[in-house]
Amino acid sequence: MSVLWRNWLSMTAILGLVLAILSSLALLQHNSILAMLLKQRLSVVAQSTAGDFRPVATMGLPLSMLRNAQAVLREARANDANIRAIYITEHDGTVIHTDEALGHAGLAPAVLHTLQQHQHQQVWSSETDTALTSAAAIVRGDHSVAGWVLVVYTKDAFNKTTRQLERKIIQSGLGIWGLVSLLAWGVLRLQLGGAVKGFAQVQRLLVQFAQHRPGQPLPDAPDTNGCGLFIHELPRLHRKLSLAATRYARAVHQQTGTTGPADPQPGGTTLTTELIKQAPDSSMARALSRRLAPALVMLVVAVVLLQGWQIYRQVLDSFEPEQSVRLELIGSLANRTIQRAVSAGVPLNSLVGASRYFEELLHDFPEVSYLAMTAHRLEVEAGQHVQPRPDNWWNGRDETSVFPITDNAGETGHIIVEANPHYFAQQLQNLTLDLAMVMVVAMLLAYQVVVVTLSLSMTGPLNRLNHLLIRQSRGDFSCRLGHHRHSALDRAAAFLSARADTLCQRQQSAGNTCATPRLLRFAYLNDIRLPVFLFGVADALSISFLPVYTRLLDNPLHWLNAGVVLSLPLAGYLLAITLGAPLVRALNARWGVRRLLLLAALLMLAANAGMAVAVTTVDLIIFRTLAGLGYAAATLAGQDYLLDVVPREMRGRALGLFTSALFSGIFSGAAVGGLIADRSGPPAVFLTGALIALVAAVLVWCFIPPDPRQTAGTTFRLADLLQPLRNTRFIVLITGLAIPANVMIQGFIAFLVALQMNALGATTADVARMVMLYFLLLLLIAPVAPRLDKHLHISTRAILGALLAATALGVAATWPGYWSMLYAVAGAGAGQGLMRDAAVAIAITLAESDLAHLGQDTVLGSLRMVERAGSIIGLLAAAWLASKLGYSAGIAAIALWLLAGMLVLLMAKLTATLSY
């Protein structure tokens, strides 16, 4: 398959995934909003019907005494043909009145169970797969509940509406997918045209040399016109091929005394393997990635905007019938109330409470923007006229209904009801934010996939070819390539491996039984790029709701503080990472990276599956701890793989790419997890995490060589990790910077943000957007923060980061609210961006000076262990304090901890013996 086709198929698959995610989110959001609107409307019917029974209950009479009960029920049911039944029940759910068509049928067991759960609420709603139910209490004069009005609405019309919308969204999505896929082909053809032509020239050159025979003239140098990035590569490749062909002919001649090569015979010899380290990426790979990045952004934005616009219009169209019905219901309700007063002989111009009544209606029903009552002139009005946007972009509708008021003389006035043309568009504002989040996540995923695709189809095969040619041009024919990647270039270069087989077989024929070619295996940083990204996604999916979800589960740990219990899943996760690191190092030295990454994927899969079916907090703690062990195995094994396969001089850049892929995954997981939880519930998030872990395992199996390790990983004893604690400057580092920064991450971002926002009434999706802002600022600021070291000392930068974060958290603790929390999260992200690498850089400085006798690995290992242990203690302390004094107190404690650490660093900086 050609380079262009591989990249186009990858890009098309990503665009299809983006469309599928957008469409699914839109359908879930539409269904949620439509169900909410229907339940609101049914609640109005229930409350209006309860008002007819309230005089009987107020007088202390049985509800069965209302003589015209059936007429009331018929009138209520006439509001919507999809109302299946209306029940009047006693307080315990015993049916008193029902529709005539239902006779004396009782409540369904599920409805009765729901009613018993809401005994102390005067209005409630519920939903099942087949029906929506809204209930209103019939209240006595002493405010006790005498009975209930239950309105049951069949979901046939609801399901029909959702199916129609689903069909429209799928059709538009397929059309947009096809259109943008064609655009992607054109863009990739334009951006990769020179590279594709150059790559084709490389393949032709290989075919020419494969057909060359000793004694024949060597093939001419290829034409490099229009070959883009291959202009300089092709002549170098031609020289290497020519020299390798000459060396091969000479080797054959030395073995046989002739110039005729012998045909290779297949043998059953087991080949030894040699692992070849490669740089993180080549200049060609970087150039291609930079060239494709704007195209990726353009294509993803095009898909999101086109499908988002179609979804917006289609969803609003599906709401139009509900808008009309709601307007009719609200107008009828107002008309019915006014008509009663008029029928009782009260003139329209004498209705003293009409204005207040209209204001209450507008407050209860924001979909109405204007209410008025007219006779011969305007008598009462409330609200204001709202005009739809002139461009009709949001599909706003100007809808007005008029309801007559009559008396004995005929029509005496009207009630005018105007719909708010922007109400339903405002209900979809969250969907707009979701589109933006999915767009950012899609860009990150698309970039990772395209980089890996380029590595698999172009730069990787070219690196393998160059490596083998360099050896053969030096007369070394002891190695061959494998074909495990099955790229076109690998197949075209198969004749080079055949040369090694031929010469080795000739040596075996001459009696040298040890002559077998070594199989070259190549390990690249890009091999682990996608698995690391997916491990990050799977691990961060629950960060926006885990404490809130823990609170919903059964808690058998009654003897523990409730707030501490909420923090135990996160504390167990951190403890597993802390204690699992030495175990991971030992397993890595014995098993190798591939097996350890597969184990990590298995642990994360089992952990997410377990959390999906968890019933108690103990279940959640156990499986979240298991997830921490899997995350530790994945990240540490990934780092060891990187250190093994990347040359020493390239490790700094490689670590940056590894961290970027990991944090991109964490960023994406935090965003996507909250959206899924908000639409489908936490169990769906955990099942998604299990699926992502499975995909990561497949990628590890396909990309990572079976045993790439060449050196054993560094393992530590506890005594080794405690030795740096004898150094005063190291103590200052961990107490002033490392521990407070990690407490902020675990105690605030991963714990208190979700709880505080939930207490403020925010949805899980709102929390996800807020947490996403933290990671976004961290990703943007952390890479550029070291540039400030030219102007500021690194400890000064850390002090400024701590001050910024502490100030932001202090604002949220003092003035709790949505915007103050947003500011706190943004301040934490910016502050962490300034502090993140400062602790590591200072620790390395200590490892090169005061702690040089311990070595850098021991110092960094001690730093990680102590800061994680400190973050566990800080998390538990913040959870306990928040449960006693409130979430704001917990946030304030973390802010004070950051300030205290900042002061410790500042005092150390002012002390010559402790400064860094």
Side-chain angles (χ1 to χ4, degrees):
M1 186 180 295
S2 70
V3 176
L4 183 61
W5 275 101
R6 280 177 182 256
N7 283 276
W8 179 75
L9 288 177
S10 299
M11 195 66 234
T12 300
I14 293 171
L15 296 176
L17 179 63
V18 172
L19 285 169
I21 293 174
L22 287 180
S23 301
S24 300
L25 288 175
L27 287 170
L28 290 172
Q29 179 81 347
H30 166 269
N31 295 350
S32 174
I33 294 175
L34 184 58
M36 176 195 71
L37 295 173
L38 287 172
K39 285 186 285 189
Q40 287 178 351
R41 178 157 59 85
L42 297 177
S43 180
V44 173
V45 174
Q47 292 179 66
S48 176
T49 306
D52 291 327
F53 283 85
R54 192 165 292 122
V56 176
T58 302
M59 290 185 290
L61 300 175
L63 297 178
S64 57
M65 294 293 291
L66 186 65
R67 296 182 179 180
N68 63 336
Q70 289 297 328
V72 171
L73 295 182
R74 283 196 300 270
E75 184 180 357
R77 189 172 182 181
N79 286 290
D80 195 322
N82 290 298
I83 294 178
R84 186 172 66 193
I86 300 180
Y87 298 92
I88 310 299
T89 73
E90 296 284 2
H91 181 266
D92 60 357
T94 304
V95 176
I96 303 173
H97 298 289
T98 64
D99 294 62
E100 293 177 345
L102 293 174
H104 295 284
L107 293 177
V111 177
L112 182 60
H113 178 69
T114 306
L115 185 148
Q116 292 170 351
Q117 288 181 323
H118 296 84
Q119 285 287 338
H120 303 291
Q121 300 179 17
Q122 294 193 3
V123 178
W124 56 265
S125 299
S126 67
E127 180 177 358
T128 65
D129 293 336
T130 58
L132 300 169
T133 302
S134 285
I138 303 172
V139 184
R140 299 188 182 96
D142 59 357
H143 302 292
S144 63
V145 176
W148 297 91
V149 177
L150 288 93
V151 181
V152 181
Y153 182 93
T154 180
K155 291 182 72 174
D156 292 341
F158 174 88
N159 293 332
K160 181 180 178 180
T161 300
T162 56
R163 284 194 298 268
Q164 290 175 346
L165 179 63
E166 181 179 349
R167 187 163 52 249
K168 290 179 180 179
I169 289 178
I170 291 175
Q171 290 173 352
S172 65
L174 290 175
I176 291 172
W177 191 25
L179 177 64
V180 181
S181 295
L182 291 176
L183 178 62
W185 173 267
V187 170
L188 291 174
R189 181 81 180 178
L190 179 64
Q191 296 293 326
L192 296 178
V196 170
K197 183 177 179 181
F199 202 70
Q201 287 284 55
V202 171
Q203 293 181 7
R204 293 192 194 98
L205 191 61
L206 289 173
V207 171
Q208 292 173 4
F209 274 92
Q211 297 171 350
H212 173 263
R213 294 293 178 266
Q216 297 178 353
L218 292 173
D220 296 331
D223 179 18
T224 60
N225 185 31
C227 290
L229 298 173
F230 284 83
I231 289 178
H232 302 294
E233 184 67 27
L234 280 169
R236 288 196 294 264
L237 192 61
H238 180 265
R239 287 193 297 270
K240 293 174 187 176
L241 284 167
S242 300
L243 186 55
T246 303
R247 295 283 190 182
Y248 175 66
R250 185 181 302 170
V252 171
H253 178 73
Q254 289 175 351
Q255 287 186 4
T256 64
T258 66
T259 58
D263 294 331
Q265 300 296 324
T269 308
T270 302
L271 301 180
T272 57
T273 301
E274 179 180 347
L275 182 71
I276 305 300
K277 297 180 179 181
Q278 292 293 314
D281 51 7
S282 63
S283 59
M284 180 183 297
R286 291 193 296 270
L288 287 172
S289 299
R290 286 194 297 266
R291 181 173 294 182
L292 286 178
L296 293 177
V297 172
M298 180 194 72
L299 292 171
V300 171
V301 170
V303 162
V304 171
L305 291 182
L306 288 174
Q307 183 68 347
W309 178 69
Q310 286 293 331
I311 287 172
Y312 224 100
R313 294 184 64 87
Q314 290 163 356
V315 169
L316 289 178
D317 285 341
S318 74
F319 285 154
E320 185 176 9
E322 177 63 17
Q323 181 178 13
S324 300
V325 173
R326 290 170 71 86
L327 197 66
E328 187 73 21
L329 175 62
I330 296 166
S332 299
L333 182 63
N335 178 263
R336 180 181 173 186
T337 303
I338 299 298
Q339 186 65 59
R340 284 177 180 171
V342 172
S343 299
V346 180
L348 286 178
N349 56 8
S350 300
L351 294 176
V352 178
S355 179
R356 187 180 64 212
Y357 173 65
F358 279 6
E359 292 289 349
E360 292 175 353
L361 283 177
L362 290 178
H363 179 269
D364 294 336
F365 304 103
E367 60 266 39
V368 175
S369 62
Y370 180 77
L371 274 170
M373 182 177 65
T374 65
H376 300 293
R377 58 186 178 85
L378 181 65
E379 300 289 348
V380 178
E381 66 175 343
Q384 57 184 354
H385 301 281
V386 178
Q387 298 298 327
R389 293 178 176 87
D391 56 3
N392 203 33
W393 175 261
W394 300 113
N395 214 13
R397 294 174 174 82
D398 182 14
E399 189 169 346
T400 302
S401 296
V402 179
F403 300 85
I405 303 172
T406 61
D407 58 10
N408 294 331
E411 190 173 293
T412 187
H414 301 86
I415 289 180
I416 302 172
V417 183
E418 288 187 8
N420 182 352
H422 310 313
Y423 172 75
F424 287 93
Q426 291 167 355
Q427 297 299 305
L428 296 177
Q429 286 179 349
N430 287 338
L431 182 60
T432 305
L433 297 175
D434 295 346
L435 297 180
M437 292 175 65
V438 171
M439 183 169 63
V440 175
V441 172
M443 290 177 187
L444 294 174
L445 176 61
Y447 181 77
Q448 302 295 333
V449 170
V450 167
V451 168
V452 173
T453 302
L454 285 173
S455 176
L456 290 175
S457 59
M458 181 179 290
T459 58
L462 195 61
N463 287 340
R464 294 194 289 273
L465 173 63
N466 274 312
H467 182 87
L468 186 61
L469 278 177
I470 289 173
R471 289 200 173 197
Q472 293 194 0
S473 63
R474 296 171 179 169
D476 180 3
F477 292 90
S478 62
C479 303
R480 72 183 317 278
L481 296 175
H483 302 293
H484 67 286
R485 296 181 186 263
H486 301 290
S487 72
L489 195 61
D490 285 329
R491 290 192 295 272
F495 74 96
L496 297 175
S497 298
R499 290 176 178 177
D501 294 337
T502 298
L503 293 177
C504 289
Q505 288 170 9
R506 286 178 178 272
Q507 292 180 26
Q508 290 175 359
S509 300
N512 185 1
T513 56
C514 296
T516 56
R518 296 191 305 277
L519 179 64
L520 297 180
R521 290 191 183 275
F522 293 79
Y524 304 94
L525 172 62
N526 286 331
D527 292 339
I528 205 168
R529 194 166 193 151
L530 267 181
V532 164
F533 178 84
L534 293 179
F535 280 129
V537 173
D539 183 72
L541 285 171
S542 61
I543 193 172
S544 61
F545 64 85
L546 186 62
V548 178
Y549 181 59
T550 306
R551 190 168 54 193
L552 299 177
L553 301 179
D554 294 334
N555 178 26
L557 306 175
H558 302 292
W559 49 275
L560 271 178
N561 176 274
V564 173
V565 171
L566 296 184
S567 68
L568 287 181
L570 182 56
Y573 167 85
L574 296 172
L575 185 64
I577 295 177
T578 304
L579 300 180
L583 175 63
V584 168
R585 296 290 189 188
L587 291 177
N588 196 10
R590 174 173 296 186
W591 291 356
V593 171
R594 191 191 199 197
R595 291 181 180 178
L596 191 55
L597 285 174
L598 290 174
L599 175 63
L602 180 62
L603 289 174
M604 296 186 78
L605 190 154
N608 279 279
M611 287 187 287
V613 297
V615 177
T616 67
T617 54
V618 174
D619 299 335
L620 195 64
I621 293 168
I622 292 173
F623 287 114
R624 187 56 180 164
T625 303
L626 192 64
L629 189 60
Y631 178 76
T635 53
L636 293 176
Q639 290 175 3
D640 284 350
Y641 177 85
L642 179 147
L643 296 176
D644 273 345
V645 305
V646 175
R648 183 176 297 273
E649 63 275 10
M650 301 295 295
R651 286 181 178 177
R653 177 177 175 79
L655 284 170
L657 294 175
F658 176 87
T659 304
S660 173
L662 179 62
F663 270 86
S664 296
I666 293 173
F667 172 89
S668 303
V672 172
L675 295 182
I676 299 174
D678 193 56
R679 305 294 186 269
S680 303
V685 177
F686 295 126
L687 291 177
T688 302
L691 178 61
I692 292 173
L694 180 62
V695 174
V698 172
L699 294 177
V700 168
W701 181 267
C702 295
F703 291 166
I704 306 299
D707 189 11
R709 291 204 59 76
Q710 293 178 325
T711 58
T714 304
T715 57
F716 304 104
R717 297 177 304 168
L718 181 60
D720 297 332
L721 297 177
L722 294 178
Q723 288 187 37
L725 296 178
R726 299 175 181 175
N727 183 273
T728 305
R729 298 175 73 195
F730 187 80
I731 292 291
V732 170
L733 171 63
I734 61 174
T735 56
L737 178 59
I739 291 179
N742 273 271
V743 170
M744 181 186 70
I745 297 173
Q746 306 303 337
F748 178 63
I749 297 297
F751 184 70
L752 287 175
V753 168
L755 292 171
Q756 180 73 305
M757 292 301 295
N758 180 260
L760 293 172
T763 65
T764 306
D766 294 330
V767 180
R769 298 182 195 105
M770 194 169 286
V771 173
M772 188 182 75
L773 176 63
Y774 167 83
F775 287 110
L776 179 62
L777 290 173
L778 181 61
L779 284 172
L780 293 177
I781 294 175
V784 300
R787 299 179 186 177
L788 297 175
D789 296 343
K790 298 178 182 179
H791 311 285
L792 297 173
H793 193 275
I794 190 169
S795 59
T796 304
R797 173 160 61 88
I799 290 172
L800 291 177
L803 179 61
L804 175 61
T807 303
L809 266 65
V811 170
T814 307
W815 298 285
Y818 179 86
W819 293 108
S820 62
M821 284 296 294
L822 184 66
Y823 173 67
V825 170
Q832 182 65 20
L834 294 174
M835 293 186 291
R836 194 186 73 175
D837 66 331
V840 175
I842 294 174
I844 292 175
T845 301
L846 291 176
E848 295 171 349
S849 55
D850 296 23
L851 303 175
H853 61 285
L854 297 178
Q856 180 174 308
D857 289 342
T858 301
V859 174
L860 292 179
S862 177
L863 175 68
R864 295 305 183 202
M865 182 193 73
V866 174
E867 69 181 6
R868 286 169 184 157
S871 66
I872 295 173
I873 296 172
L875 168 67
L876 295 175
W880 179 85
L881 187 63
S883 68
K884 294 294 184 181
L885 302 177
Y887 301 133
S888 295
I891 298 173
I894 296 175
L896 291 175
W897 199 334
L898 284 167
L899 283 175
M902 182 204 70
L903 292 176
V904 169
L905 283 179
L906 184 60
M907 293 173 61
K909 183 176 178 60
L910 298 176
T911 305
T913 56
L914 295 178
S915 62
Y916 301 104

